[in-house]
Amino acid sequence: VVLATRYMSLASMCAAVALPLSALAINQLRPGGIQPVPSSFVILFAAIAVLTVLRHRANIQRLLAGTENRPGKKVDVPTGEAKEDEDVQ
């Protein structure tokens, strides 16, 4: 997701949501004799996914508005003069 969109927050949310879905898929399919994922883990993974999405609410709003920063994109930073009472080293 990061390589395709360059949005780290979107990648974090996708990974968090994919984890419980993957655990559920493993439990349903059990390919190659894989042990099932305990239901307590699936609940924990789902809680982590919900918390991750809630934590990224501001990022979601910026993504929808098209104002989310991307790594590698130059951001204009205003250059201000240091105040006289601040120590500048």
Side-chain angles (χ1 to χ4, degrees):
V1 174
V2 173
L3 294 177
T5 65
R6 293 187 2 214
Y7 289 124
M8 189 64 194
S9 59
L10 182 61
S12 298
M13 290 183 286
C14 288
V17 171
L19 185 60
L21 296 177
S22 299
L24 288 172
I26 287 172
N27 285 349
Q28 293 298 316
L29 303 175
R30 293 194 196 151
I34 293 177
Q35 295 291 326
V37 178
S39 57
S40 59
F41 281 24
V42 175
I43 293 168
L44 175 65
F45 297 158
I48 290 170
V50 168
L51 291 174
T52 302
V53 171
L54 288 176
R55 180 75 177 151
H56 283 84
R57 283 180 304 204
N59 298 70
I60 294 169
Q61 290 173 346
R62 287 192 300 269
L63 285 166
L64 293 174
T67 58
E68 178 72 1
N69 292 330
R70 292 182 180 189
K73 183 179 178 184
K74 293 187 178 186
V75 178
D76 291 332
V77 178
T79 56
E81 296 178 11
K83 294 180 183 175
E84 291 181 30
D85 58 336
E86 293 179 350
D87 291 331
V88 180
Q89 295 181 3

